[in-house]
Amino acid sequence: MEKKHSIFGWDSVFKSYTNHDLIKDSIFPLLAAVTITVISYWGEKDMLVELFKVITIGLSVVPVMLSILLAAYAILMSMYWSPICEKMKHNAKGNKLLNGLNSSFAAAIKIICLGVFYLLIMNSIGTVNIPFHIIPPNIVNAILLVISLYFILFSIWIMKDIAISIYNFASFTINTDIKERKDEDKKGS
């Protein structure tokens, strides 16, 4: 049976915000997370202590970034109903910009929510102190540290892309208004 193509849901989001986009957006946060973890590991830091320091920081930073992102997304959603967006919806470049911006916000929100969920779970598991016998605990804690750092750094790093998307949105509307005024002036002359 053939899967229906919908303009709704996560499948639709990830048509505009592809795996390639996710990988591109994840390169710096992942490299930084690995670098920090390797430096801590080589510095013979206690990985469990470092992990919980990072989780504590993450639980204060990542939800705030999520709140900022949700607020910006809510503002964007209210702008969709404005006359400016009506012009964009009927312009191929504008429509592509709106779809990309919408998908970027939705994908970032999903990933950051996963980060909050992960950090909460890791914080809860740490208080239970589950022992590992197969893999050395320091290696497990280092891997968990990389993942924790990734979610924190991703939530901050993605803001630059959201900012440029909002800038592009504003730039498009400004340039569309200027072009329309010039066209009206030419007609009026």
Side-chain angles (χ1 to χ4, degrees):
M1 202 173 194
E2 189 176 319
K3 194 175 183 180
K4 290 184 179 181
H5 297 288
S6 176
I7 59 169
F8 304 110
W10 289 113
D11 289 339
S12 177
V13 168
F14 290 110
K15 284 179 187 169
S16 292
Y17 187 86
T18 64
N19 287 336
H20 175 72
D21 295 324
L22 177 60
I23 290 167
K24 191 173 79 175
D25 289 338
S26 294
I27 289 173
F28 176 78
L30 192 57
L31 287 175
V34 169
T35 302
I36 292 167
T37 303
V38 167
I39 290 170
S40 296
Y41 191 81
W42 283 345
E44 297 181 4
K45 302 268 187 178
D46 183 342
M47 288 289 106
L48 186 61
V49 170
E50 296 303 308
L51 175 62
F52 283 101
K53 283 181 187 176
V54 167
I55 287 172
T56 301
I57 292 168
L59 286 172
S60 4
V61 171
V62 178
V64 171
M65 301 311 275
L66 181 59
S67 298
I68 291 168
L69 196 59
L70 286 169
Y73 194 48
I75 291 167
L76 179 69
M77 288 288 95
S78 67
M79 291 173 73
Y80 276 167
W81 304 109
S82 73
I84 293 169
C85 276
E86 278 305 311
K87 295 174 191 172
M88 292 180 81
K89 291 175 191 174
H90 300 292
N91 178 302
K93 286 182 182 178
N95 200 359
K96 183 177 178 183
L97 179 66
L98 287 173
N99 281 333
L101 184 58
N102 190 34
S103 294
S104 294
F105 267 105
I109 288 168
K110 181 176 184 172
I111 293 164
I112 293 172
C113 283
L114 288 173
V116 171
F117 186 65
Y118 170 81
L119 292 168
L120 286 170
I121 288 173
M122 292 312 306
N123 193 46
S124 299
I125 289 174
T127 58
V128 175
N129 197 11
I130 297 173
F132 289 93
H133 299 290
I134 299 170
I135 302 171
N138 238 11
I139 300 295
V140 171
N141 292 332
I143 292 167
L144 297 175
L145 180 60
V146 167
I147 297 168
S148 299
L149 283 166
Y150 166 78
F151 280 123
I152 295 167
L153 296 170
F154 181 87
S155 70
I156 297 167
W157 184 254
I158 199 70
M159 289 299 166
K160 71 172 182 41
D161 294 333
I162 298 298
I164 197 65
S165 294
I166 292 171
Y167 169 81
N168 290 343
F169 177 85
S171 182
F172 181 88
T173 57
I174 290 167
N175 289 322
T176 301
D177 284 346
I178 290 170
K179 185 178 184 249
E180 285 179 358
R181 277 189 247 132
K182 285 181 181 178
D183 290 345
E184 287 174 9
D185 288 346
K186 285 180 185 177
K187 287 179 184 177
S189 299

